[in-house]
Amino acid sequence: MLYQLYETQRSLMEPFTDLAQAAAKAYGNPLSIAGKNPFAQRISAGYDLMHRLGKDYEKPEFGLRTIDVDGVNVAIHERVEISKPFCELLRFKRFTDDTVTLGKIKNQPAVLIVAPLSGHYATLLRDTVKTMLKDHKVYITDWKNARLVPLSEGEFHLDDYVNYVQEFIRHVQGKYGNCHVMSVCQPTVPVLAAVSLMASRGETTPLSMTMMGGPIDARKSPTAVNNLAMNKSHSWFENNVIYRVPSSFAGAGRRVYPGFLQHTGFVAMNPSNHAKSHYDYFKDLIKGDDASTEAHRKFYDEYNAVLDMDADYYLETIKVVFQEFQLVNGTWDVKSVNGKMERVRPEDIKTTALMSVEGELDDISGSGQTQAVHDICSGVPKAMQKHFEAKGAGHYGIFSGRRWRELVYPEVKAFIKACNKVAAENGAAPSSVAPQPAVAKKVKAVNVAPQQAEPAHLKPVEVEVAAMASPAAETAQMEALQETPVAAIEPAAATLPEAVAPEKQSKTAAARKNSARTATKTVATKRISGKK
């Protein structure tokens, strides 16, 4: 009933907000009769603010048309790779006719960014995607508004979220041999579950996972968000925040946690800050400060655009993550696509490097909540793990804005490049080259044996990841990685002189290939045994 009342009120207000917008333009035009009023600028600012406070905010677009790659403009084409009932997998494909730039971007790592399904659209990560596109092939999960999904598409549970992530990982792996996964906020939990299940089954897992500001262990440094979820009962949430979608939408009748209630909760966390922001916007309009007013519009166009979440998914997330802590307690069972219940065992992850990122001033995911991932992923060697705290950064600062670009991104970039380089050097499929049958088979053999105490290709990662312990070392590491291209699938064959006859090329390639493999095995054996 509340949802229907809200929609009725919004429909009644819509003509007035449109009228306010028209009045703002009329008084803001100095050539119009209204614009000649001595108080025209103030009246226009008041109407503009009224329009923005009352308007309906639709889903924004990413709007990424081009990016700059080392001074070259590269075109971006956004396309849907996989369409599921509740989510689309988007790819931002890059195009350029500059041969040098094309060679660079072809060998860059593939990264799957899993966007949060917690009220806002995936476009909240626009700055994340834009920055990552300079050095990576980028995919992102674009979650759909549940009120637009017909009931005929069925229900959506937290288990379905986990299964979606696994399908998307396999899709990207199928294109490049393997990939890296980055999860921001809420999806850190289902992403860890997805990779854990893949590892338990013996599937090829991503080369790395980057966990950013997520509630892996919500018991640590609980915030206002955590306290609300932990102090209210499951039945309270079901009775007070779950409503059915009105008949005016495609998903009529679906039980959801409405976006307008979520937005109310967002604003209620810092009401004075939002009030001050709107008042500053009003003053900037009067002063004619176009830069500040445009920045305000862009932020609130994104912040005020919210989506409905399916009730089953939302309630299960509250229960699993914030009330029973099933992930860290080792009691979480996920229903797979074939209907089988599988226990989530993060300790089964052996060959995926792990990085956690937290903001020093994060008021949504408290200090230590994300870092807890290192404790439960006990199967990942310590040398393949890294934690980074962004000084002075809040929750949004770790994936958007200046601190993301200047503090967090260089760390993430170096970590991904190090993992990708090591995979290429040791024969595993890097995340930038289309897999060959032999390579795919080799990678599968490595990952199928999780019982192996320390696979040969893990040791070099210790050197690469441990080298990032200090800023100076990281800078040297990044420079070295930039100077060294990603190794080809058959590096020996790539070094043959052009003058060698075809039959000699074949024999020479085979000899060098066997020699390279022997050398690699010898080095790996020495590293594992501790000999120099």
Side-chain angles (χ1 to χ4, degrees), residues 82-120:
I82 299 178
S83 181
K84 306 289 288 182
F86 290 86
C87 185
E88 290 179 339
L89 178 64
L90 298 184
R91 179 185 180 185
F92 296 90
K93 187 168 177 60
R94 302 169 297 177
F95 293 90
T96 180
D97 55 3
D98 184 87
T99 54
V100 176
T101 304
L102 182 62
K104 291 179 182 178
I105 64 178
K106 283 181 66 176
N107 290 326
Q108 290 175 344
V111 178
L112 168 62
I113 301 176
V114 183
L117 176 54
S118 56
H120 287 107

Side-chain angles (χ1 to χ4, degrees), residues 25-274:
K25 291 180 178 179
Y27 279 98
N29 184 358
L31 300 179
S32 68
I33 297 177
K36 298 184 184 300
N37 189 303
F39 300 102
Q41 196 71 8
R42 289 179 176 273
I43 297 173
S44 175
Y47 276 123
D48 189 290
L49 181 59
M50 186 185 302
H51 164 69
R52 294 196 60 81
L53 290 176
K55 67 172 287 192
D56 186 35
Y57 290 84
E58 299 291 340
K59 176 186 177 181
E61 63 171 8
F62 277 97
L64 301 176
R65 306 288 184 259
T66 61
I67 57 164
D68 181 273
V69 179
D70 297 332
V72 177
N73 251 0
V74 175
I76 304 297
H77 173 58
E78 177 186 326
R79 70 187 190 193
V80 178
E81 291 269 315
I82 299 178
S83 181
K84 306 289 288 182
F86 290 86
C87 185
E88 290 179 339
L89 178 64
L90 298 184
R91 179 185 180 185
F92 296 90
K93 187 168 177 60
R94 302 169 297 177
F95 293 90
T96 180
D97 55 3
D98 184 87
T99 54
V100 176
T101 304
L102 182 62
K104 291 179 182 178
I105 64 178
K106 283 181 66 176
N107 290 326
Q108 290 175 344
V111 178
L112 168 62
I113 301 176
V114 183
L117 176 54
S118 56
H120 287 107
Y121 290 96
T123 50
L124 194 67
L125 304 186
R126 183 185 293 101
D127 196 24
T128 313
V129 174
K130 183 178 181 180
T131 306
M132 294 287 292
L133 275 171
K134 297 177 181 179
D135 307 287
H136 308 86
K137 301 169 183 175
V138 178
Y139 293 75
I140 192 170
T141 58
D142 188 18
W143 300 100
K144 297 180 181 179
N145 194 334
R147 73 180 183 182
L148 302 179
V149 182
L151 280 173
S152 59
E153 295 289 356
E155 301 173 340
F156 184 70
H157 297 265
L158 182 57
D159 294 350
D160 297 314
Y161 191 123
V162 175
N163 293 326
Y164 274 23
V165 172
Q166 292 180 82
E167 182 177 347
F168 296 155
I169 290 174
R170 296 186 192 107
H171 175 79
V172 182
Q173 286 177 332
K175 283 181 171 288
Y176 307 107
N178 212 326
C179 67
H180 304 266
V181 178
M182 174 189 291
S183 54
V184 181
C185 191
Q186 168 271 325
T188 53
V189 173
V191 166
L192 182 57
V195 176
S196 299
L197 293 173
M198 294 177 71
S200 298
R201 300 190 203 106
E203 293 186 59
T204 300
T205 57
L207 296 177
S208 74
M209 287 190 299
T210 302
M211 304 286 187
M212 303 177 66
I216 297 295
D217 189 349
R219 298 171 301 182
K220 297 179 179 292
S221 306
T223 63
V225 176
N226 303 145
N227 288 331
L228 175 64
M230 291 187 287
N231 295 333
K232 300 292 184 181
S233 66
H234 186 272
S235 59
W236 184 91
F237 284 100
E238 188 164 15
N239 295 330
N240 289 276
V241 303
I242 302 301
Y243 297 90
R244 293 195 180 273
V245 176
S247 58
S248 54
F249 298 100
R254 180 177 295 280
R255 294 171 67 248
V256 298
Y257 177 23
F260 72 88
L261 280 182
Q262 299 171 59
H263 181 262
T264 302
F266 298 152
V267 174
M269 291 178 65
N270 296 289
S272 58
N273 291 348
H274 290 286

Side-chain angles (χ1 to χ4, degrees), residues 447-517:
N447 285 280
V448 161
Q451 299 85 359
Q452 189 174 347
E454 196 167 9
H457 80 281
L458 294 185
K459 270 296 181 181
V461 180
E462 296 181 10
V463 180
E464 300 291 344
V465 177
M468 291 185 272
S470 67
E474 180 196 349
T475 301
Q477 177 70 14
M478 289 177 63
E479 291 175 352
L481 288 173
Q482 290 169 353
E483 294 173 1
T484 307
V486 177
I489 295 298
E490 295 294 345
T495 60
L496 289 176
E498 296 180 358
V500 181
E503 61 274 12
K504 291 183 179 180
Q505 289 183 357
S506 177
K507 294 178 181 179
T508 307
R512 294 189 180 186
K513 179 178 177 182
N514 291 334
S515 177
R517 286 178 175 172

